[in-house]
Amino acid sequence: MYKYDLYDQAMVDARVAEFRDQARRRLEGKLTEDQFKPLRLMNGLYLQLHAYMLRVAIPYGTLDSRQLEMLADIAERYDRGYGHFTTRQNIQYNWIRLEDAADILADLAKVEMHAIQTSGNCIRNISSDHFAGAAADEVVDPRPYAELMRQWSSFHPEFTYLPRKFKIAVIASDKDRAAMRLHDIGVRIVKRANDSGGEVGAQFYAGGGMGRTPMIAPLIRDFVPIEHFITYAEACLRVYNRYGRRDNKYKARIKILVHELGAAEYTRQVEEEFAHLLSVGVEPPREELARIAAHFADPAFIDGPKTVDRSDPDFALWVDRNTHRHKHDAYVSAVISLKPAGGIPGDATAEQMRVVARLAKQYSFDELRVMHTQNLLLPHVRIADLHAVWSALDAAGLAAPNMDTIEDIIACPGLDYCSLANARSIPLAQRISERFAETGRTEVVGELKLKISGCINACGHHHAGHIGILGVDKKGVENYQLSLGGSEAEDVSLAKITGPGFDEDGVIAAVEKVTDVYLASRAEGERFLDTYRRIGMEPFKEALYG
Amino acid sequence: MAEDIGTSPDEVQFRFREDEIVDHGTVTVDACCDQTNATAVRIEPGDDARLLLPFLDRLALVEINFPAFNDGRGYSAARILREAGYTGELRAVGDVGVDQLSHMRRCGFDSFAPDKRLDEEDAARAFATWANVYQRAADARRTIADKRHEA
Ligand code: HEM
Ligand code: SF4
């Protein structure tokens, strides 16, 4: 994986020093809270209901054991002994004191980490496919391209005060495991045939997003030669910076600009700017991508057994549910569920982080991933080692065999932490996963992605859930709207609302009813989403309100 | 003659140029496009900087106004002018704070007339924030990637 050189380290160190200075000026009264706010936000520091929240960047979700151990230490030293992994592959700490923030950033810098641009109206941490570098189906490893973008977007002088935040995802497979088309810019690295066996380039999608006006990003360019990759991104951003709306923060995301101009007109403006920027010359030297890519060379995989001993049914179930095909046939990627039935989605204790760090060191070439589903992942596990890995995870309460099932719920922090929330998300997620685990329905239902947001901002991706739940405020009473049929994957779609909302007990019952309809109607091999798409909303409505 | 809407030389707190500071009437972008003799112009956030490209030769001062520091359109305007070869003074005016200085410098601003005078020491530190930079920009600094791959 990528290692900082002296330059990268100096940039992060400079940022820590700059933030210390800003915090000092805030304390000396030279900065008002209004002036300080965007500066602390650019360092990931939010003010929440009860305390400051610090969001730490995990670029494209990749980290090593030393880094995860530091995250565990920080959870213990400065928080309450746990951290929360997010849908953008980052980690958040919910109980931070302003006085400690600069020290935490300094600790992070010691392990090549930071909280730069994890909030604020700038280009945020670049996310990617969590199986990058391991998946059997990828064209190339997308992370070198994401790293090139990380460097380009870090402290970008022109794009620090954009109309609104800006999120980019980079993938390199037909499969989309990063919700790529629900990002402000989504990039798919592709290869097209040429004489020398395939030329690498980038597809650009622009104007996707969730929030109150969910939109799926349209394709704006189907092949940008890789030697113009950064130039094209710069053109996309410049058009947005100049013409994105600034009169209304709810209409300030790029999706509104693309929607109001139309994709064709936005694209035309980008192409014009692109042609201009090509003549200016903003692309990094070509050798830089090669230098970065060398950091992502495959580890030394060795041959070995390709099957496991399935005599222990618990182990066999976990293997079936939580492992993913690897490009080397003696390996798999192993998903570490942070969704124990009844648990808080995405939370991990310092102790659990240390267990995972140790396993990564011992069994996965010292590499780890954070998944956008708020789970962790060991990308390269020898099939021969799977039983040992599973046993250690099981002992730490980390072996729930529920990847992509209804227990694998994405939930935002909701009313338990968030000052914008209408309703609680976490307790609802806990009750639903508990209920399905108890009744044994989880396995029967199979793949079913449930996503919960505590308000219209959609941090919990409810628009993209096979089942989505949105907390709304109904005359001061928590109320939940149910929607069906969304997907964040390559078959991307936006969920549709079923009808009137429910109270907390009611929405749990409604989720069960909806799965009843599915079980009664499904054809051979159909997932919940497939059945919904085939039979439509009516039968579900009938069951819910009929 | 259009009304002078610009800052005066004594409002300029930082200037990174050797030439004589101009003290001409500063006009709006519209007025500048209509009037052939203006040598100083002020860009507001909603103005298209590219309208000025035909007149760059006669301009000695372009002010870019930041009514609010968090409206970043002026950064693009500045780079666009520099990319088009503008070599005159590029002055950031308005709600310009210490924490914007290093980025503005990179986008081609070479003079600063903040509404509120800034602490000299804080500003000096801010201008020196980045010993190295990742991206190419209007200041033509060699980037980290350039340095990594120097023969
Ligand atoms: C608790 C503090 C949080 C606050 C105050 C907050 C605030 C917001 C707001 C205001 C938006 C809407 C932005 C817009 O539409 O322009 C948003 C969107 C979003 N947030 Fe959060 N958020 C929080 C936590 C989280 C967490 C923990 C995650 C990850 C699990 C997250 C992930 C997202 C995502 C994925 C979106 C949708 C992006 C889009 O609109 O395209 N947020 N958040
Ligand atoms: S969706 Fe709403 S309630 Fe949930 S974290 Fe985002 S802003 Fe807060």
Side-chain angles (χ1 to χ4, degrees):
Chain A
M1 59 185 263
Y2 189 71
K3 293 273 174 238
Y4 283 6
D5 66 0
L6 292 174
Y7 289 113
D8 297 311
Q9 188 66 50
M11 292 301 279
V12 170
D13 291 344
R15 194 34 160 330
V16 175
E18 187 190 41
F19 181 74
R20 244 185 232 293
D21 185 56
Q22 289 163 343
R24 173 189 62 79
R25 281 183 285 126
R26 172 73 188 111
L27 293 169
E28 288 172 3
K30 284 179 178 169
L31 289 175
T32 64
E33 171 56 20
D34 271 1
Q35 289 167 320
F36 182 57
K37 187 176 168 192
L39 306 174
R40 67 167 163 74
L41 284 181
M42 273 176 221
N43 291 286
L45 202 59
Y46 274 86
L47 190 54
Q48 281 306 300
L49 274 182
H50 313 289
Y52 280 96
M53 171 196 102
L54 180 70
R55 187 181 288 158
V56 176
I58 302 177
Y60 33 90
T62 295
L63 72 177
D64 63 19
S65 60
R66 192 177 56 122
Q67 293 174 320
L68 188 59
E69 274 159 14
M70 179 59 88
L71 295 178
D73 290 350
I74 289 171
E76 249 163 23
R77 207 173 313 146
Y78 302 106
D79 201 296
R80 297 184 175 178
Y82 59 92
H84 179 75
F85 290 94
T86 80
T87 53
R88 294 207 74 256
Q89 301 175 295
N90 295 324
I91 185 171
Q92 287 183 184
Y93 296 104
N94 283 315
W95 304 97
I96 296 302
R97 301 178 333 137
L98 180 56
E99 296 85 331
D100 293 330
D103 290 337
I104 300 175
L105 296 185
D107 282 351
L108 288 170
K110 286 181 207 152
V111 294
E112 306 179 10
M113 294 187 85
H114 58 73
I116 294 160
Q117 292 172 208
T118 56
S119 47
N121 294 335
C122 50
I123 302 173
R124 302 290 188 86
N125 186 36
I126 316 284
S127 60
S128 186
D129 186 337
H130 37 244
F131 292 129
D137 58 25
E138 75 186 9
V139 172
V140 289
D141 187 339
R143 293 173 301 164
Y145 308 90
E147 172 61 25
L148 194 66
M149 275 194 149
R150 182 191 74 84
Q151 296 185 22
W152 160 73
S153 61
S154 295
F155 322 113
H156 197 296
E158 186 177 338
F159 306 134
T160 299
Y161 298 100
L162 294 168
R164 200 76 177 87
K165 57 180 160 183
F166 205 91
K167 302 181 184 182
I168 301 178
V170 182
I171 65 172
S173 159
D174 287 339
K175 293 266 180 215
D176 181 359
R177 294 172 284 253
M180 182 270 281
R181 292 186 66 192
L182 296 168
H183 281 73
D184 296 284
I185 285 184
V187 174
R188 176 183 276 119
I189 304 295
V190 293
K191 255 189 199 166
R192 90 183 162 188
N194 70 354
D195 301 341
S196 53
E199 176 192 7
V200 174
Q203 281 179 349
F204 271 75
Y205 295 82
M210 287 182 263
R212 63 190 62 218
T213 346
M215 300 219 184
I216 296 170
L219 180 69
I220 62 163
R221 182 53 125 94
D222 74 350
F223 195 89
V224 176
I226 214 62
E227 61 271 22
H228 300 150
F229 181 48
I230 293 301
T231 309
Y232 201 82
E234 184 127 338
C236 291
L237 263 296
R238 178 175 285 178
V239 172
Y240 170 58
N241 189 45
R242 298 186 75 207
Y243 297 111
R245 284 180 61 173
R246 293 175 187 264
D247 59 324
N248 177 343
K249 86 175 213 185
Y250 299 119
K251 296 191 186 298
R253 297 286 293 269
I254 191 178
K255 62 191 172 190
I256 304 294
L257 177 69
V258 172
H259 182 73
E260 287 181 353
L261 288 177
E265 173 59 17
Y266 173 73
T267 308
R268 189 192 64 74
Q269 294 187 15
V270 168
E271 292 289 334
E272 210 170 276
E273 198 65 56
F274 175 57
H276 163 69
L277 286 170
L278 280 178
S279 72
V280 172
V282 299
E283 194 72 29
R286 269 213 93 160
E287 310 82 58
E288 181 59 6
L289 184 58
R291 184 192 73 89
I292 292 171
H295 286 274
F296 293 95
D298 280 347
F301 298 125
I302 49 173
D303 285 329
K306 300 170 183 28
T307 54
V308 292
D309 174 356
R310 299 179 61 90
S311 53
D312 178 341
D314 289 343
F315 172 58
L317 177 62
W318 180 81
V319 170
D320 291 343
R321 266 282 155 224
N322 285 31
T323 62
H324 188 264
R325 229 183 108 213
H326 197 279
K327 62 186 178 189
H328 190 294
D329 60 7
Y331 288 77
V332 289
S333 300
V335 172
I336 299 171
S337 172
L338 298 180
K339 316 285 179 72
I344 297 178
D347 271 14
T349 65
E351 245 351 280
Q352 289 177 324
M353 292 185 223
R354 291 194 182 107
V355 169
V356 173
R358 204 173 56 238
L359 290 175
K361 206 170 351 183
Q362 199 172 349
Y363 296 113
S364 186
F365 298 96
D366 204 14
E367 243 197 70
L368 281 155
R369 305 291 167 74
V370 181
M371 303 171 70
H372 97 267
T373 51
Q374 305 181 280
N375 294 308
L376 298 175
L377 175 75
L378 298 172
H380 316 293
V381 181
R382 282 190 85 198
I383 290 172
D385 292 332
L386 265 182
H387 195 273
V389 168
W390 172 77
S391 305
L393 289 173
D394 196 36
L398 290 167
N402 57 12
M403 174 183 162
D404 289 342
T405 69
I406 194 163
E407 293 174 26
D408 193 4
I409 298 172
I410 290 180
C412 80
L415 201 52
D416 294 286
Y417 295 102
C418 177
S419 45
L420 306 174
N422 290 322
R424 290 171 302 165
S425 314
I426 292 170
L428 184 58
Q430 291 173 301
R431 287 188 58 193
I432 293 175
S433 66
E434 215 159 31
R435 176 107 191 112
F436 275 75
E438 266 167 24
T439 56
R441 266 231 175 156
T442 304
E443 257 318 288
V444 181
V445 171
E447 182 181 317
L448 206 180
K449 299 181 185 175
L450 177 68
K451 305 181 200 251
I452 308 176
S453 304
C455 82
I456 194 66
N457 287 319
C459 305
H461 290 198
H462 68 277
H463 299 297
H466 297 178
I467 298 179
I469 297 178
L470 165 64
V472 289
D473 181 52
K474 211 172 164 194
K475 302 196 185 84
V477 185
E478 289 173 55
N479 191 268
Y480 296 93
Q481 234 170 37
L482 190 70
S483 52
L484 303 176
S487 171
E488 83 295 347
E490 58 283 358
D491 59 353
V492 61
S493 61
L494 299 173
K496 289 200 174 61
I497 296 169
T498 55
F502 306 90
D503 64 10
E504 188 175 318
D505 290 334
V507 80
I508 295 169
V511 169
E512 286 196 296
K513 276 188 201 156
V514 162
T515 56
D516 286 339
V517 174
Y518 159 64
L519 290 175
S521 323
R522 73 172 160 191
E524 183 70 29
E526 269 185 350
R527 305 170 299 163
F528 175 88
L529 183 63
D530 304 322
T531 302
Y532 168 83
R533 285 178 176 166
R534 179 171 55 79
I535 68 178
M537 179 66 95
E538 267 322 302
F540 294 96
K541 265 192 164 158
E542 182 65 25
L544 289 170
Y545 308 105
Chain B
M1 186 74 200
E3 180 195 0
D4 181 1
I5 57 167
T7 49
S8 67
D10 52 320
E11 290 173 75
V12 175
Q13 192 183 355
F14 308 102
R15 194 164 183 273
F16 298 81
R17 300 180 65 88
E18 302 301 317
D19 58 354
E20 192 76 18
I21 196 161
V22 291
D23 191 7
H24 305 159
T26 302
V27 303
T28 63
V29 170
D30 279 352
C32 179
C33 296
D34 294 344
Q35 167 188 329
T36 49
N37 57 355
T39 58
V41 61
R42 172 188 281 223
I43 296 181
E44 298 295 337
D47 291 335
D48 180 0
R50 290 206 161 100
L51 294 176
L52 296 177
L53 299 192
F55 314 112
L56 292 185
D57 285 348
R58 67 162 207 247
L59 290 174
L61 169 66
V62 176
E63 293 191 356
I64 297 185
N65 188 24
F66 291 84
F69 73 91
N70 57 0
D71 184 333
R73 285 177 281 187
Y75 294 84
S76 291
R79 274 188 77 187
I80 284 168
L81 295 177
R82 291 302 188 206
E83 285 162 4
Y86 174 66
T87 55
E89 181 167 338
L90 194 51
R91 185 182 296 168
V93 309
D95 187 13
V96 174
V98 166
D99 300 283
Q100 286 80 53
L101 297 176
S102 64
H103 289 321
M104 287 180 165
R105 211 49 200 109
R106 296 219 61 213
C107 287
F109 288 99
D110 56 8
S111 94
F112 300 84
D115 281 346
K116 268 204 257 92
R117 282 188 88 76
L118 306 177
D119 184 301
E120 297 281 341
E121 235 175 82
D122 290 341
R125 204 177 300 119
F127 280 122
T129 304
W130 307 114
N132 283 293
V133 295
Y134 277 124
Q135 332 57 14
R136 296 201 177 145
D139 54 3
R141 290 177 70 176
R142 276 170 38 255
T143 66
I144 288 172
D146 291 335
K147 293 184 183 184
R148 279 174 177 149
H149 300 288
E150 229 142 53

